Amino acid sequence: MEKNIIELITPVFFVLVVVELLYSAFGNKPFYRFKDSINNLSAGIFMQIFTVFITLGLMAVYSWVYAKFGVLNISNDSWIGWVFCFILADFFYYWYHRFGHEINIFWASHVAHHQSEDYNFTVALRQGVTQNTFSLPFYLPLAVMGFPPIMFLLCIQINFAYQFWLHTRAIPKLGFFEWIFNTPSQHRVHHGRDPKYIDKNYAGTFAIWDRMFGSYKEEEEEPIFGIVKPMQTWSPVWTQFHYFEELFHLSWKTKSWKDKFLVWFKPPGWKPKDLGESVVPPEIDRSTYQKFNTHIPYTLLAYSITQFFFGLGASMVYLEFKKELPLFEMCVLGFYVLWTLWNIGAIFELKTSGIVSELIRLASIAGLTYVYPFDFTHVEKLTAVLPIETLQYLPELMKQVALISFFVLGGFLVSQKRFFSIKGYTPKTV
């Protein structure tokens, strides 16, 4: 299978994001904030780039279990097999998702998806880079039952694709439909951090699992979105791994050997007795509640927008042509996309270290085009849409864009009078 379903319908996702964005703008509805949306999309790009290296390994594990322990021999041509595979995949997704909220180590793999304090289609793309790895054991019973790897892969991708439309405030309750299928109203509850909404509505496609296993909660007033300890950073790296770091910290500091182990398997918020009280989700005063935000000069905002779209374009090239690019070019492109997104997050926090890192990134791109003979003319898909002359010019274009960006950002720093005069923010949870 050359492409997965998520990659194939990604353009549809972005079209829907634009539609919702226009609806929000013309309807004067505060669904979107620029920096939060960029942070959501950055997390999605991180996940997709890492997925290239992870998915093959995970599917190899599933295929091995299927070949060694598969009880039945379910045919890919069986429509009954497809129906049961989809229903059971959704059932096992429910349990991974539930464990992902109720057990610390699984929450660490899933928490990135819940960090946004907004709720819009970009939140659907905000995913944890380790989530697929931690969810695989929950799906292995499908391999033992005898569902072929391609059937499992397509069913789980359709399940994920279905969940995209759930991430919107624009669609109200849907009546009888909600008794069978998951809906935006039900999933808004799932993303709420009001105490009454926490750990509710784990469904993927079918809402019946929540009703069967006692985790259903109907939406009353619209939730306050996010996690109990809101993120105070735009860093796409810290958002992915901060909870693992927190668990390591608790495990290291507690004196009880038993608690060093238990901290990984207790519910989120639990603490060993020698480290203080466990965190209880507090009620939220809506009259005083404020979302995390930072304010940056318009020059940096315009620069960040430009570089994000360059990074987004590069990530699309990475995903589209990854099988045709030589390994070195693929690794370099993926690395620079991730570096770009990390720098943008740091610039959003007015960190001088992030701006210096961005200058180094730009200079290294210009330098790399001098020492390495990048050649895009052998990528067949590119030659089908671009003239050879354009492909030959691409390395020179990369160098020119990098140099222009370097001088624009460098000029901004010079205008600050003192090189290290920019006040930044410290990434943290509160």
Side-chain angles (χ1 to χ4, degrees), residues 35 38-47 50 112 115 126-129 231 233-242 308 337-349 427:
K35 289 187 282 292
I38 293 296
N39 199 237
N40 293 338
L41 294 172
S42 295
I45 293 170
F46 260 69
M47 191 265 194
F50 276 95
Q115 291 159 349
R126 183 188 187 103
Q127 300 290 336
V129 299
M231 296 298 298
T233 182
W234 300 121
S235 168
V237 177
W238 184 249
T239 57
Q240 292 286 346
F241 301 110
H242 77 93
F308 174 76
V337 169
L338 299 182
W339 193 0
T340 301
L341 298 176
W342 183 89
N343 288 344
I344 290 172
I347 290 172
F348 282 169
E349 296 175 24

Side-chain angles (χ1 to χ4, degrees), residues 110-343:
H110 182 60
V111 63
H113 180 59
H114 284 266
Q115 291 159 349
S116 176
E117 293 182 86
D118 295 328
Y119 194 73
N120 53 57
F121 283 144
T122 66
V123 175
L125 304 177
R126 183 188 187 103
Q127 300 290 336
V129 299
T130 61
Q131 183 167 298
N132 288 345
T133 302
F134 279 84
S135 65
L136 178 66
F138 292 83
Y139 296 122
L140 291 181
L142 292 172
V144 175
M145 292 176 195
F147 291 100
I150 189 65
M151 184 182 290
F152 157 71
L153 184 62
L154 288 174
C155 285
I156 202 65
Q157 287 175 1
I158 293 170
N159 194 343
F160 289 153
Y162 175 88
Q163 294 179 53
F164 176 83
W165 79 287
L166 304 177
H167 297 82
T168 181
R169 297 168 63 189
I171 299 176
K173 292 183 179 181
L174 298 176
F176 179 77
F177 188 80
E178 305 209 354
W179 282 89
I180 303 172
F181 295 100
N182 200 7
T183 66
S185 174
Q186 294 179 36
H187 205 62
R188 285 193 291 268
V189 166
H190 179 69
H191 276 259
R193 67 183 185 95
D194 308 82
K196 67 180 178 181
Y197 288 152
I198 289 176
D199 294 342
K200 300 296 181 183
N201 297 4
Y202 299 113
T205 298
F206 298 114
I208 54 175
W209 310 126
D210 284 303
R211 298 179 186 274
M212 287 174 61
F213 299 110
S215 54
Y216 178 75
K217 175 68 178 177
E218 187 170 356
E219 183 181 34
E220 296 169 1
E221 72 274 11
E222 186 177 72
I224 298 293
F225 300 106
I227 56 178
V228 172
K229 296 165 62 177
M231 296 298 298
Q232 301 288 293
T233 182
W234 300 121
S235 168
V237 177
W238 184 249
T239 57
Q240 292 286 346
F241 301 110
H242 77 93
Y243 201 71
F244 284 108
E245 189 273 342
E246 186 175 329
L247 294 178
F248 273 114
H249 180 72
L250 290 173
S251 182
W252 180 264
K253 287 193 68 176
T254 184
K255 296 177 181 178
S256 167
W257 286 100
K258 178 181 177 182
D259 287 345
K260 287 179 185 293
F261 173 79
L262 286 179
V263 70
W264 297 93
F265 299 96
K266 286 289 187 176
W270 180 86
K271 286 184 180 180
K273 290 183 179 180
D274 60 337
L275 298 182
E277 296 293 327
S278 297
V279 177
V280 177
E283 293 289 347
I284 303 165
D285 186 345
R286 293 169 183 262
S287 64
T288 59
Y289 166 71
Q290 290 185 332
K291 299 175 182 179
F292 170 70
N293 198 11
T294 56
H295 301 282
I296 63 176
Y298 287 114
T299 302
L300 286 183
L301 184 62
Y303 176 87
S304 300
I305 293 173
T306 303
Q307 294 302 321
F308 174 76
F309 280 108
F310 280 138
L312 181 62
S315 69
M316 294 298 103
V317 170
Y318 178 91
L319 295 174
E320 178 71 22
F321 304 116
K322 58 182 179 291
K323 291 185 179 179
E324 295 188 40
L325 290 173
L327 181 61
F328 179 79
E329 274 93 337
M330 187 180 78
C331 292
V332 167
L333 182 58
F335 171 77
Y336 272 94
V337 169
L338 299 182
W339 193 0
T340 301
L341 298 176
W342 183 89
N343 288 344

